[in-house]
Amino acid sequence: MLVLIKENSHQMSLEGALQVATQIKLKPDSVIGFATGSTPLDMYKELIRMHKDEGLDFSKIVSFNLDEYVGLHPTHPESYHYFMWENLFKHININPTNVHIPMGMADNISEFCNWYEQKINSYGGIDLQILGIGANGHIAFNEPGSSLGSRTRIKTLGQKTRLDNSRFFNEIDEVPQYAITMGVGTIMEAKKLLLLASGLNKADAIKATVEGPIMAKYPATIVQYHRYATIIIDKEAASQLEGEYIDSSL
Ligand code: PGA
């Protein structure tokens, strides 16, 4: 596991974008796993800039998103479909037929989840999976206590997650109770992981993830087992770490 500590969240985003761009240049038809939330937003802006200014070509990539709320239509402004198109996809030259985002309105959710897993496999798996982390140590919507071998499935959102995400809704009661999420096991099968975190409210989760024992209470801790996991964090998110890490803030 490579831990890169950057001066601030903007530097974190630039480094993240550089790593995604490098992957795409090395393998133009890369399968990229995308994440939503506040953390990757600035990285997506940089990828858009790279596309517009430097011609970074997304035309052959295939995308799979980590998760989606159950019951939100793709046109709902808080759905992750809407998020991805608004904040990245509509600004780059991705082929819409190569975009995969869990379908929160699926009639048969378990059938859909099996299909999603098969679809990922049909492309040979995910080359690079982008991840955020919840303050409670979740990755995607794999809440504390999730099985570390879990696959794509429906999950009940914890109260802490619903509270954290209520900032995007009018009130907490509007935050869906369920989500479809790639499992921890699904995520771990990606060939490379790129986990980003910034801010003091992520410091405890990062401490557990990088230096704590591996446990389902903090699903993100499993990334310690991954062969090619890169954790890019800012100084605030790194503030609880005790080990020595590369200070790559320059
Ligand atoms: P955030 O969410 O980027 O909005 O902090 C991350 C997550 O919950 O995985």
Side-chain angles (χ1 to χ4, degrees):
M1 190 166 66
L2 176 66
V3 179
L4 298 177
I5 301 173
K6 308 300 287 188
E7 186 63 33
N8 53 44
S9 72
H10 185 57
Q11 296 300 325
M12 172 202 76
S13 303
L14 295 184
E15 177 65 33
L18 203 60
Q19 303 227 4
V20 175
T22 302
Q23 171 67 41
I24 295 172
K25 285 178 195 164
L26 278 173
K27 186 178 177 225
D29 60 349
S30 287
V31 181
I32 308 283
F34 286 99
T36 52
S38 310
T39 308
L41 270 179
D42 194 33
M43 176 176 77
Y44 292 161
K45 284 202 183 91
E46 175 63 6
L47 287 172
I48 294 165
R49 190 202 63 73
M50 288 172 156
H51 170 63
K52 293 198 189 324
D53 296 351
E54 298 166 12
L56 181 62
D57 182 14
F58 293 86
S59 64
K60 294 196 181 63
I61 73 158
V62 174
S63 80
F64 283 93
N65 260 77
L66 285 169
D67 46 16
E68 176 60 288
Y69 291 115
V70 167
L72 292 196
H73 194 270
T75 56
H76 190 291
E78 294 312 330
S79 74
Y80 289 166
H81 277 77
Y82 191 88
F83 177 104
M84 287 310 300
W85 282 100
E86 264 327 280
N87 294 302
L88 182 62
F89 294 156
K90 80 175 186 190
H91 306 285
I92 59 175
N93 64 335
I94 194 166
N95 180 345
T97 60
N98 288 347
V99 170
H100 306 90
I101 304 173
M103 184 49 71
M105 300 291 285
D107 289 335
N108 185 329
I109 289 181
S110 75
E111 224 169 70
F112 175 83
C113 293
N114 290 338
W115 175 85
Y116 204 67
E117 290 270 333
Q118 283 164 17
K119 201 75 187 166
I120 293 171
N121 287 337
S122 74
Y123 284 101
I126 292 169
D127 291 303
L128 176 69
Q129 177 64 58
I130 299 161
L131 294 169
I133 182 171
N136 63 3
H138 73 206
I139 41 174
F141 274 133
N142 294 288
E143 294 284 59
S146 292
S147 156
L148 297 178
S150 51
R151 314 302 309 183
T152 303
R153 69 212 184 291
I154 186 168
K155 279 295 286 180
T156 306
L157 302 185
Q159 195 59 8
K160 170 87 177 97
T161 299
R162 291 184 74 223
L163 197 61
D164 284 349
N165 290 7
S166 64
R167 67 190 193 275
F168 302 114
F169 293 81
N170 294 321
E171 50 173 334
I172 188 167
D173 289 346
E174 286 183 15
V175 183
Q177 289 186 322
Y178 305 100
I180 293 173
T181 180
M182 277 188 208
V184 181
T186 320
I187 292 168
M188 284 295 284
E189 280 173 12
K191 294 175 189 96
K192 292 180 206 153
L193 301 180
L194 192 62
L195 189 151
L196 274 63
S198 63
L200 284 175
N201 70 325
K202 299 291 173 74
D204 288 342
I206 287 297
K207 163 88 177 147
T209 300
V210 176
E211 296 179 344
I214 293 163
M215 56 169 138
K217 187 176 168 199
Y218 290 104
T221 57
I222 194 75
V223 305
Q224 291 178 30
Y225 271 141
H226 200 283
R227 251 184 114 171
Y228 298 104
T230 303
I231 315 265
I232 311 175
I233 48 181
D234 71 352
K235 289 202 156 157
E236 290 189 349
S239 57
Q240 300 291 327
L241 295 179
E242 289 167 35
E244 294 296 322
Y245 302 96
I246 302 165
D247 186 338
S248 58
S249 52
L250 298 176

